[in-house]
């Protein structure tokens, strides 16, 4: 009986490990550890500031590949390619930054890459990667310090999804093709051999009877149609007693909307006729600049986000019951990505919407009116 229980547990463990897939977006932080000594001279570890850390990874078997993003206020921002492995049996993850792709630094002279040793954990529907890292100077491989790493699997990115993730999502969304064996064509019935038709004997011609020849058809020109010039259409002019009939206007989609991904962040449904919108910088003021398009028309152009609100008012009613607001990042500021806080007041209700946009993705907020 005991051996059966062990076999069942081993089977469940193997099945659980097999189901694990790390492909996706992981976001959290890493924190350096500084060693110092206390009053008694005893060596102790003291955590320093935390860097925000995002990892986008794709798993193929036990192999891991992807990119990392890390930044600290306005001091440092870096993007690096990464590679590693995942042991499904032990849930151990090894992930090393291979090469720096993009770096922005203020007051720092050295750049470092990290080697992470992590453990995969799952708690209910939440998935985590936790462990430690060591870092090395990219110039001389000297020690840059070490610390702890904490990551949680999330759906959205603070930057933009890498192509390998969007490709994987598209593959999942596309249903597998169902192979249908072709139906064999019906066999043609075997035709009986055709009899050779005998030519009829020529009819005897009467003597001295001339044959009448059929005259060739006479070509007739088609009758000419008399075309009378029509009167030019009269333009409808607006007056106090008649409604002006307007032609439908072609809406030109701005290039910055047509060429970027447009992600719907929030849909606000309200019965309020007037909506007040205030837009602030979300967090550290780092020169983020935005433009705002309302129904594909530019209403705010290249305005810097600060602690002072950028204000906008919308009106909704039965005849004007839908608005689409698009926020466009004109730059990424000193700390990518471009982040803002939008406070929407609709009647007695207030919404706080945190918006992230970058040079590849716009943020879309939709407003609907319902009585």
């Amino acid at each position: 009986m005991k051996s059966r229980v062990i076999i069942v547990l081993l089977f469940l463990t193997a099945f659980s490990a097999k189901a694990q897939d790390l492909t996706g977006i992981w976001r959290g932080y890493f924190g350096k550890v500084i060693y110092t000594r206390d009053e008694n001279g005893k060596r102790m570890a003291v955590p320093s500031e935390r860097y925000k850390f995002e990892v986008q990874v794709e798993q193929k078997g036990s192999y891991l590949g992807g990119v990392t993003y890390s930044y600290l206020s306005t001091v440092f921002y870096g993007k690096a390619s990464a590679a590693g492995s995942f042991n499904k049996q032990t849930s151990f993850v090894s992930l090393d930054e291979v090469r720096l792709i993009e770096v922005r630094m203020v007051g720092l002279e050295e750049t470092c890459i990290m080697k992470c040793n992590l453990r995969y954990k799952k708690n209910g529907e939440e998935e985590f990667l936790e462990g430690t890292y060591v870092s090395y100077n990219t110039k001389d491989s000297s020690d840059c310090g070490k610390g702890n790493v904490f990551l949680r699997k999330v759906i959205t990115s603070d930057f933009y999804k890498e192509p390998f993730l969007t490709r994987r999502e598209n593959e999942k969304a596309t249903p597998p093709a169902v192979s249908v064996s072709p139906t064999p064509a019906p066999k043609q019935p075997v035709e009986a051999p055709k009899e050779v038709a005998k030519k009829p004997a020529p009819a005897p011609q009467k003597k001295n009877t001339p044959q009448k020849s059929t005259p060739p058809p006479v070509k007739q020109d088609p009758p000419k149609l008399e075309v009378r010039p029509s009167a030019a259409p009269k333009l409808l002019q607006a007056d106090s007693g008649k409604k002006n009939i307007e032609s439908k206007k072609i809406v030109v989609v701005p290039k910055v909307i047509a060429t970027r991904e447009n992600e719907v962040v929030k849909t606000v449904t309200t019965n309020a006729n007037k909506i007040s919108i205030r837009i602030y910088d979300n967090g550290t003021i780092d020169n983020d600049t935005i433009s705002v398009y309302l129904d594909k028309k530019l209403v705010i152009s290249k305005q810097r986000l600060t602690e002072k609100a950028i204000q906008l008012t919308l009106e909704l009613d039965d005849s004007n019951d839908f608005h689409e607001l698009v926020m466009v990042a004109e730059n990424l500021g000193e700390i990518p990505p471009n982040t803002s806080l939008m406070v929407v007041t609709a009647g007695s209700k207030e919404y706080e919407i945190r918006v992230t946009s970058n040079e590849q993705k716009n943020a879309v907020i939709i407003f609907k009116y319902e009585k």
Side-chain angles (χ1 to χ4, degrees):
M1 183 67 179
K2 186 176 181 180
S3 60
R4 288 183 181 178
V5 173
I6 294 173
I7 292 172
V8 171
L9 289 174
L10 289 173
F11 173 78
L12 292 175
T13 303
F15 178 81
S16 173
K18 185 178 180 181
Q20 295 168 4
D21 185 5
L22 302 190
T23 299
I25 303 169
W26 301 79
R27 188 164 62 242
Y29 64 86
F30 68 87
K32 286 187 176 181
V33 175
I34 300 174
Y35 289 94
T36 184
R37 295 189 181 275
D38 60 14
E39 297 176 355
N40 300 322
K42 186 177 179 181
R43 188 170 179 264
M44 64 178 187
V46 179
S48 66
E49 64 270 278
R50 289 179 175 179
Y51 286 71
K52 290 188 177 181
F53 196 37
E54 179 178 311
V55 178
Q56 296 189 29
V57 67
E58 181 180 27
Q59 179 181 336
K60 292 182 178 179
S62 61
Y63 170 78
L64 302 177
V67 297
T68 66
Y69 293 93
S70 55
Y71 64 89
L72 173 66
S73 66
T74 59
V75 177
F76 173 79
Y77 157 77
K79 178 181 179 181
S81 60
S85 61
F86 176 42
N87 188 322
K88 294 182 180 181
Q89 302 300 324
T90 62
S91 297
F92 178 76
V93 177
S94 173
L95 188 67
D96 300 343
E97 291 181 333
V98 179
R99 179 179 61 87
L100 288 172
I101 300 173
E102 185 180 0
V103 179
R104 299 180 194 176
M105 298 188 299
V106 178
L108 297 176
E109 296 181 356
E110 62 180 21
T111 55
C112 304
I113 56 175
M114 301 166 55
K115 295 181 179 294
C116 302
N117 294 320
L118 310 170
R119 186 80 64 181
Y120 171 84
K121 297 179 181 180
K122 188 170 184 179
N123 183 8
E125 296 299 321
E126 297 274 22
E127 296 178 87
F128 303 94
L129 292 175
E130 298 180 57
T132 60
Y133 78 92
V134 292
S135 57
Y136 302 93
N137 195 301
T138 55
K139 293 182 180 179
D140 55 12
S141 298
S142 60
D143 183 16
C144 282
K146 57 185 177 180
N148 301 318
V149 179
F150 174 84
L151 296 168
R152 183 173 66 91
K153 198 170 189 180
V154 295
I155 299 175
T156 60
S157 169
D158 273 349
F159 300 88
Y160 66 93
K161 289 184 180 179
E162 294 294 321
F164 59 80
L165 289 184
T166 55
R167 183 181 65 249
R168 180 74 74 93
E169 289 176 355
N170 293 336
E171 289 174 356
K172 287 183 177 180
T174 305
V178 179
S179 60
V180 179
S181 55
T183 305
K187 295 181 180 180
Q188 297 293 335
V190 180
E191 295 181 356
K194 294 181 180 179
E195 294 183 0
V196 179
K198 295 181 180 180
K199 292 183 179 181
Q205 295 183 355
K206 295 181 180 180
K207 293 182 180 180
N208 300 327
T209 304
Q211 297 288 329
K212 292 183 180 181
S213 59
T214 304
V218 179
K219 294 183 179 180
Q220 295 182 353
D221 295 330
K224 294 184 179 180
L225 298 176
E226 183 180 357
V227 180
R228 296 181 180 179
S230 59
K234 293 182 180 180
L235 295 176
L236 295 174
Q237 296 183 358
D239 56 51
S240 58
K242 298 179 181 179
K243 292 184 179 179
N244 184 27
I245 301 175
E246 298 180 354
S247 60
K248 292 184 179 180
K249 297 180 181 179
I250 300 174
V251 179
V252 179
V253 180
K255 183 179 179 181
V256 74
I257 296 178
T259 58
R260 295 187 185 183
E261 178 187 353
N262 296 284
E263 181 182 18
V264 177
V265 176
K266 179 78 173 178
T267 298
V268 177
T269 302
T270 179
N271 59 1
N273 297 111
K274 192 173 182 179
I275 294 178
S276 172
I277 299 173
R278 293 164 301 180
I279 307 172
Y280 307 85
D281 196 316
N282 185 27
T284 305
I285 298 172
D286 60 336
N287 295 315
D288 287 337
T289 304
I290 64 166
S291 291
V292 177
Y293 290 81
L294 181 62
D295 301 329
K296 299 183 175 58
K297 294 180 181 179
L298 182 64
V299 292
I300 295 173
S301 178
K302 298 179 181 179
Q303 195 157 340
R304 181 172 173 265
L305 293 171
T306 64
E307 75 283 355
K308 187 177 179 180
I310 300 172
Q311 297 190 19
L312 188 65
T313 301
L314 304 182
E315 292 185 359
L316 294 169
D317 53 37
D318 289 332
S319 61
N320 188 23
D321 60 357
F322 181 91
H323 285 303
E324 181 186 69
L325 188 145
V326 180
M327 287 188 59
V328 174
E330 295 291 352
N331 67 3
L332 300 183
E334 296 171 7
I335 310 174
N338 188 310
T339 56
S340 59
L341 172 64
M342 179 184 294
V343 179
V344 176
T345 303
S348 60
K349 294 184 178 180
E350 189 169 271
Y351 306 86
E352 287 191 0
I353 306 171
R354 283 166 176 78
V355 180
T356 299
S357 56
N358 53 46
E359 293 171 346
Q360 290 79 29
K361 181 177 68 175
N362 301 324
V364 180
I365 298 90
I366 293 174
F367 297 92
K368 290 183 179 181
Y369 176 76
E370 289 184 2
K371 279 190 175 181

